Amino acid sequence: MLDRDVVEILLDEEFEDMELEIPEDVDKKALAEAFCQYTEDDYYEWLKDNFKSFFNHGDPDWEWIKGKIQASTVEHK
């Protein structure tokens, strides 16, 4: 889950950079919440798609996966 306070700060910064203003009748907390939900929904769909690809749509190539595990272990030491 995204940190809603951090998202509010991001919205402030991005709106300032783009020279945009939040309309007076739009609550910033509600906007941040809606943006978070939108982003999280998209993120979970992306994770599901990548899960299917990583595990070869239900027919996992365990040797390939073991190689990925080994490579990620070496990278994160």
Side-chain angles (χ1 to χ4, degrees):
M1 294 210 31
L2 296 171
D3 182 323
R4 272 49 180 169
D5 293 331
V6 171
V7 170
E8 278 191 53
I9 292 167
L10 172 86
L11 290 175
D12 286 340
E13 291 172 355
E14 292 299 317
F15 270 67
E16 184 177 324
D17 288 348
M18 296 176 72
E19 297 180 1
L20 296 173
E21 291 185 23
I22 299 171
E24 289 182 21
D25 61 342
V26 174
D27 180 73
K28 188 174 15 170
K29 285 198 180 300
L31 177 61
E33 181 61 30
F35 180 77
C36 285
Q37 287 180 16
Y38 172 83
T39 303
E40 289 166 349
D41 288 347
D42 189 52
Y43 177 69
Y44 292 127
E45 288 303 315
W46 175 81
L47 281 175
K48 287 192 267 183
D49 288 344
N50 278 282
F51 178 88
K52 291 173 188 171
S53 295
F54 189 85
F55 292 103
N56 197 27
H57 302 274
D59 185 23
D61 178 347
W62 289 108
E63 292 306 313
W64 179 83
I65 292 170
K66 289 175 189 176
K68 290 292 187 185
I69 292 168
Q70 186 176 15
S72 70
T73 303
V74 169
E75 290 176 9
H76 291 97
K77 281 190 174 184

